[in-house]
Structures are given as C-alpha cells and as structure tokens.
Amino acid sequence: MAASINNSNRLSLAMERTGQWVFSQNIPTDVLVEVGEATFNLHKFMLVAKSNYIRKLILESNEPDLTRIDLSDIPGGPEIFEKAAKFCYGVNFEITIHNVAALRCAAEYLQMTDKYCDGNLAGRTEDFLSQVALSSLSGALVVLKSCEDLLPMAEELNIVKRCVDLATAKACNEANFPSRSPPNWWTEELSILDVSSFEKIVAGMKSRGAKSLTLGSAIITYAERSLRDLVRDHSGNGIRSLHSDDSDARVRQRDLLESIVALMPAEKAVFPINFLCCLLRTAIFLRAAAGCKVELEKRVSAILEHVTVDDLVVLSVTYNGERLFDLESVRRIVSGFVEKEKSVAVFNGGDFREVCSTAMLRVAKTVDAYLGEIATYSELSISKFNGIANLVSKAARKADDDLYRAIDIYLKAHPNLDEIEREKACSVMDPLKLSYEARLHASQNNRLPVQIVLHALYYDQLKLRSGAEETPKVPEAVTTRKQLQADVSLVKENEALRAELMKMKMYVTDLQKNRGGPSKGVSRKPTFFSSVSKTLGKLNPFKNGSKDTSNIEDGVDITKPRRRRFSIS
C-alpha cells in the first residue's frame, strides 16, 4: 500500500514537472530519471541526442533495456536538471545570472558540450557568462554567490576565478573612480557573498594594490550586514536564539566573526573606534577565540584617545544592558595604551610622571566618566572599580572632579558598604585635587568617609587662613600636601611650646608663694627665678594673640592642653 502511494506521488510530481512539454509528444516515455526526491519520465532518444553522459550510461548498462537512471548528484539539483532536459527537448527557458553557473556545471556533468553536439548547453552558457553575466560587478557577484553551492566543479571550470577577477577589478575601479552615488555602493554589493567568497575578493583587491581604507570600508559594510543583530542592533533584538553556547547559529556567527577579524589590514587606524568596540563586544558575547579578542583589543588600544564614553559602555555592557561583561578586556585596553604612552615618553627623553600627552589626558577624562557610567551596577566590586581607576596615572588627572563623581555614584549605588570599604573606594581619589565646588559638595556628603570630609574642610580652612582666593587652576597636589604637613608641624610645635611656658610660669609662681611675700616698705632684690619669669613673660609668643593664656580660668588643667587631630594622608 505504501509503495503504491509512493509511486503515485512520484508520478504526480513527474506529471507536474514534465506534463506540459513531454507528454504532448504523444510518444510513450521509456526512461525514469531520478534526481533526489524528484522523478522525470522522459525519452531516451531525446536525452541521448544532447548528453554524452546519458548515452554512455545506456550503452554500458548491464540491463538490456535501461528504464531507470539516477542523477541525484547533478549540480543544481532537480531544478537545473529540468532546464537541461528542456534544452534536450528544444523547449525554451531563460538563462539568467542566477542559474547560468549551475547550468554550466550541469552541462559539464551531463557532457552536453560542443564536442558532442554543436550549439550544445555548455557553449550557450559560456556565451551568456562572457557576454552578459561577467560584464558588470553586480552580475559577477551574483554568479559568484551561486557558485557557493557548486563547489568544487565551479572552481574546476574556472567560473569562480573569472568572477573574482572581474569583481576585484570593478571594485577597485569603483573605489578610485565612483560611477554612481553613494560612492561606496559597491561595498553593499559584496555583502551578498559568504565569507569564503568575500575573502577571495579582499585578497584579489589587495593584490591589485587597493588602499587599506578601501578594504576597511568593504569589511565594515560586510560585518554590519552579516552580523546585523550583533554589530548594528544594540538593543539585543534578534539574538535570543543565540543564548546557547553550542547552538548552530552561534557557532556560525563565531566562525564568521573570526574570519572577518582575520581579514583586517595590518594598519591600526583603518577602522573607527566605535566599530572596533562593537566587534569586541560581539567577540566577548560569542566567546570567540582568544586570538580574535586579543587582536581587537590591540586595535582599540592603539587609537584609544578617540574613544568615547558610549563606546566603552557598549564594550562593557550586555545587549540588554542588565549586567556587565568581564571587565578584563577594558583593563587590558587601557593598560596597553598607558604602556604605549610611557614608552613614547621615555623615548622622547621625558618623564611620564611629570608630563602627559594630550591623548593621555583625554583618555583619563574618558575613563573617569566611564567609571561613573558603570558605577551603578551591583556586580561591580571595589577591586574592579579601583583597578580601572588606578590604570590612569595621577599626573594624567588635572582635577579629580570626574573621579569624585564616579565614586559618589558608586557609594550611592552600594549603600551597604562599611566605613573601611568606603575608604577603600575613595582611596583612588586625591581630595587635594578637587575644585572648590567639588570640595564644597564633599564637605556636605554624608556618603563619604570622615577622613575625606576632613581633608576637604581642612583644605578650605587653610585657604581662608592664608587669605588666598580660589583660582580656577587646581594646585599641584604634592606642593599642597607639603604645605599642609608644614602647617600641621608648626601648630604642633606651638602647642608644645605653649605647654612648656605655662608649666614654667606655674612653677615660678609656686616658688614665690612658698617663700612668702616681702614686708611692707621693705624692698627686696629680685631673685633669679623672678627675673626668669619676667624674661619668659616678655618672650611669650602667644601674648595678646589668639593663643593668649592670661584669661584662662582657675581650675582648668592647663598641663594637658586639648589636642587637635589633623588627618593628613
């Protein structure tokens, strides 16, 4: 029963495919040609007239009357065989740039060449290739695209090479002398190819001396088209099917990304920083090979001065924006840039700690702003936060306002930190390099540790005492710190001297009381201790000043003056 159903299905398919141009001959068919799941009831003499391959099969068959032929491995499958059969029957059909390569391969497979019969299918397809399909860039690329399913026969027939040569020549010419708008229209045309064919085009353009910027433009367009959901769409739509690391779609995307990165020209500045950051984020998401990620990190690091906060955030945050990727890539990128700047400074005979380039200053500002953007994520630990902040030299920050803002956001987003943890988070910041507005905010910020608040308050107190006005220029941190230390030492010395003088005065007074006062009308010579007391009184540096002790009330233990604590880092 099942066999009869199968036979009826095959017959109906054959009737559908060949009924209009075979059964109209009113001659019974004598051979059944199977191509995959499709079957064709045809006439031997019509096929043998054009196909030397079918003629050999019939002649060399052990069966006296061959009635079934299997051609399942014919290039192009049932659709192309149907057109080849129509050619044998003299039925008209259209040769196009989409089917010409398959027809040429099928003609070779069936041995439908001019050697066997004049004006055969092979000659017709060759004429169409040379005169129509390979006369334009678009035609050559469409034919090359169709060859992807015809390998290796399409390569053996030289169709692939002809398409690549024509396409590379046309693409290079369009890059140098655009024939239409927009000028890079040809890069869109290349995006229809699979990555192996695209590699051939890029290699061909390199051999013709194409500029790196030209190749970069083609690679950017190709990556954005072939990895659209990952490179161009930052919302994460369309990638839900890629969640499994072992899914076929994810494996294909990973292989494609690694192939694209391998095609990149050696010049580091060919690609814009935002494109590189998107590719690196894609590599992290797809868990690409370590070599692929390292190459992208080096390229980003080489032009890091052009990075924006948005670029670094794109690199660090998942597509849905709900969590952070591993920040090790960002650490390696910034660290690589800093090391490069140090090498340049040493080569130029300078000191990186004293003078930083404009690029380094720009990167430092961007890194501080970037820390403020990622500070709200709960999984960001203090060690990771400080690790990125400490990558930038303190000399590269003219002011720590941006860093203070990032720390304040971090403390606000992590309210459960204890005092020690908050001090650790603030340890990357120098309070002496804050602007007046930032210090004013810090002095009123209850999220900051007490030590940082004291720094801010004491700095402003010194400003007021010295009568100096706040200037827009932030003072050198080292000089200011030395001045603070000197002031603290002076205060301590004054306190110690005051205590010693008060002890001496009390001692002299006690001696005078113990010996008794002089008799009325009797003059006494001044003693040695009274002379010392008067002399020390004249030398008292605090008399009539802010530290005058003449009005201290009795009963106050002046031998133990109140000590003031000044916390200086």
Side-chain angles (χ1 to χ4, degrees):
M1 182 69 179
S4 62
I5 293 176
N6 256 339
N7 289 334
S8 63
N9 285 340
R10 288 188 176 185
L11 182 59
S12 64
L13 182 60
M15 291 284 291
E16 180 182 353
R17 287 186 174 274
T18 62
Q20 295 181 356
W21 52 274
V22 173
F23 293 135
S24 59
Q25 303 286 333
N26 295 323
I27 301 176
T29 59
D30 54 0
V31 64
L32 181 68
V33 179
E34 297 177 345
V35 183
E37 295 296 324
T39 57
F40 300 87
N41 287 287
L42 302 173
H43 302 88
K44 292 180 184 177
F45 71 94
M46 298 296 292
L47 299 177
V48 168
K50 299 289 185 180
S51 173
N52 188 42
Y53 178 75
I54 294 178
R55 184 183 70 86
K56 289 181 179 179
L57 286 178
I58 295 174
L59 292 178
E60 296 172 2
S61 175
N62 295 327
E63 299 179 22
D65 187 14
L66 183 65
T67 59
R68 186 182 298 271
I69 298 176
D70 186 2
L71 298 179
S72 295
D73 55 349
I74 186 173
E79 291 80 7
I80 295 303
F81 174 77
E82 181 180 358
K83 289 180 171 54
K86 284 183 176 181
F87 184 85
C88 293
Y89 278 81
V91 178
N92 290 330
F93 64 92
E94 185 180 10
I95 299 178
T96 67
I97 58 176
H98 298 279
N99 63 26
V100 63
L103 285 172
R104 177 65 184 89
C105 291
E108 192 69 22
Y109 175 86
L110 294 171
Q111 298 179 14
M112 297 175 66
T113 63
D114 290 349
K115 291 182 180 179
Y116 184 71
C117 174
D118 291 338
N120 215 336
L121 183 59
R124 296 285 184 87
T125 52
E126 279 292 339
D127 291 342
F128 187 88
L129 276 172
S130 58
Q131 297 175 15
V132 180
L134 299 184
S135 63
S136 65
L137 174 61
S138 299
L141 293 176
V142 171
V143 174
L144 182 59
K145 173 66 176 177
S146 66
C147 289
E148 294 169 1
D149 298 325
L150 302 172
L151 300 176
M153 183 171 286
E155 288 182 334
E156 295 171 357
L157 294 176
N158 218 25
I159 301 175
V160 172
K161 184 177 185 304
R162 291 162 64 188
C163 291
V164 170
D165 290 344
L166 189 282
T168 54
K170 295 283 187 180
C172 289
N173 188 62
E174 283 295 327
N176 296 325
F177 309 102
S179 63
R180 67 187 192 190
S181 182
N184 64 338
W185 66 269
W186 58 275
T187 63
E188 299 282 345
E189 300 285 335
L190 295 179
S191 62
I192 68 171
L193 303 173
D194 71 357
V195 69
S196 60
S197 299
F198 183 71
E199 286 174 354
K200 293 181 176 68
I201 297 295
V202 172
M205 294 181 69
K206 283 182 180 179
S207 65
R208 290 178 178 270
K211 297 178 181 179
S212 296
L213 288 176
T214 300
L215 298 176
S217 176
I219 292 173
I220 290 172
T221 303
Y222 186 81
E224 289 181 344
R225 285 297 189 92
S226 57
L227 297 169
R228 183 185 300 272
D229 292 337
L230 298 173
V231 176
R232 300 188 69 177
D233 185 1
H234 294 175
S235 66
N237 296 329
I239 62 171
R240 295 184 178 89
S241 61
L242 301 179
H243 287 325
S244 174
D245 290 347
D246 299 328
S247 66
D248 292 339
R250 187 159 185 160
V251 171
R252 287 195 301 270
Q253 297 278 38
R254 184 187 304 147
D255 294 341
L256 178 58
L257 173 66
E258 292 173 359
S259 299
I260 290 173
V261 173
L263 286 175
M264 290 181 170
E267 291 80 354
K268 303 296 183 183
V270 170
F271 300 96
I273 188 76
N274 59 342
F275 172 73
L276 293 174
C277 287
C278 287
L279 278 190
L280 181 53
R281 190 260 298 266
T282 303
I284 296 172
F285 174 74
L286 294 176
R287 302 183 186 276
C292 175
K293 290 190 286 188
V294 168
E295 175 63 22
L296 290 171
E297 288 171 0
K298 288 181 179 179
R299 289 178 179 271
V300 174
S301 182
I303 55 174
L304 190 60
E305 64 268 26
H306 302 295
V307 76
T308 65
V309 177
D310 291 339
D311 295 332
L312 288 181
V313 171
V314 163
L315 173 59
S316 309
V317 181
T318 55
Y319 285 89
N320 54 18
E322 293 180 356
R323 59 184 181 84
L324 292 174
F325 282 131
D326 186 1
L327 299 181
E328 286 303 309
S329 286
V330 177
R331 286 177 54 87
R332 287 191 292 266
I333 289 169
V334 178
S335 179
F337 178 81
V338 173
E339 291 300 321
K340 182 191 73 171
E341 289 293 306
K342 287 182 179 178
S343 301
V344 172
V346 172
F347 179 78
N348 292 334
D351 189 348
F352 181 76
R353 294 172 297 178
E354 297 178 358
V355 180
C356 292
S357 66
T358 304
M360 188 69 243
L361 297 176
R362 187 182 299 118
V363 168
K365 191 171 183 65
T366 303
V367 169
D368 290 347
Y370 163 74
L371 288 172
E373 292 295 326
I374 66 172
T376 57
Y377 288 89
S378 58
E379 66 265 35
L380 180 63
S381 64
I382 296 176
S383 59
K384 289 182 179 180
F385 182 89
N386 289 358
I388 295 176
N390 285 326
L391 291 174
V392 178
S393 169
K394 293 184 181 298
R397 294 185 176 100
K398 295 303 182 183
D400 278 9
D401 287 17
D402 291 335
L403 186 56
Y404 166 65
R405 175 181 173 274
I407 293 172
D408 188 37
I409 294 173
Y410 184 83
L411 295 179
K412 186 176 182 180
H414 301 77
N416 296 325
L417 299 178
D418 57 29
E419 184 76 7
I420 296 177
E421 290 173 328
R422 286 186 290 148
E423 288 182 359
K424 185 178 179 182
C426 295
S427 63
V428 295
M429 176 184 65
D430 189 349
L432 303 181
K433 294 177 67 175
L434 296 178
S435 66
Y436 173 76
E437 292 78 9
R439 289 198 307 274
L440 182 62
H441 185 277
S443 64
Q444 302 171 358
N445 191 345
N446 57 8
R447 289 186 290 271
L448 294 179
V450 176
Q451 185 179 9
I452 302 298
V453 176
L454 289 177
H455 272 287
L457 290 174
Y458 185 61
Y459 183 86
D460 283 334
Q461 183 184 16
L462 289 178
K463 281 288 184 181
L464 292 174
R465 284 174 53 189
S466 62
E469 296 181 357
E470 182 72 22
T471 58
K473 184 178 180 180
V474 180
E476 182 71 25
V478 177
T479 304
T480 306
R481 185 176 291 107
K482 289 180 179 179
Q483 183 64 38
L484 287 174
Q485 292 172 350
D487 290 344
V488 171
S489 299
L490 180 59
V491 170
K492 290 181 178 180
E493 292 175 5
N494 288 341
E495 292 288 343
L497 180 58
R498 172 180 175 275
E500 293 299 326
L501 289 172
M502 292 308 301
K503 287 180 181 180
M504 181 64 72
K505 186 173 181 179
M506 293 297 295
Y507 179 69
V508 172
T509 303
D510 289 343
L511 286 177
Q512 289 177 346
K513 287 181 180 181
N514 291 336
R515 296 183 60 182
S519 304
K520 292 182 180 180
V522 179
S523 62
R524 298 187 62 180
K525 293 182 180 180
T527 64
F528 170 75
F529 290 105
S530 63
S531 300
V532 171
S533 178
K534 292 179 180 180
T535 303
L536 289 176
K538 293 178 181 180
L539 296 176
N540 183 6
F542 299 106
K543 189 174 184 179
N544 301 324
S546 60
K547 299 294 183 177
D548 188 8
T549 60
S550 59
N551 296 322
I552 295 180
E553 297 179 358
D554 294 337
V556 178
D557 185 7
I558 60 175
T559 62
K560 297 181 180 179
R562 185 175 60 178
R563 302 186 64 183
R564 302 180 187 274
R565 178 173 178 240
F566 298 96
S567 177
I568 303 297
S569 61

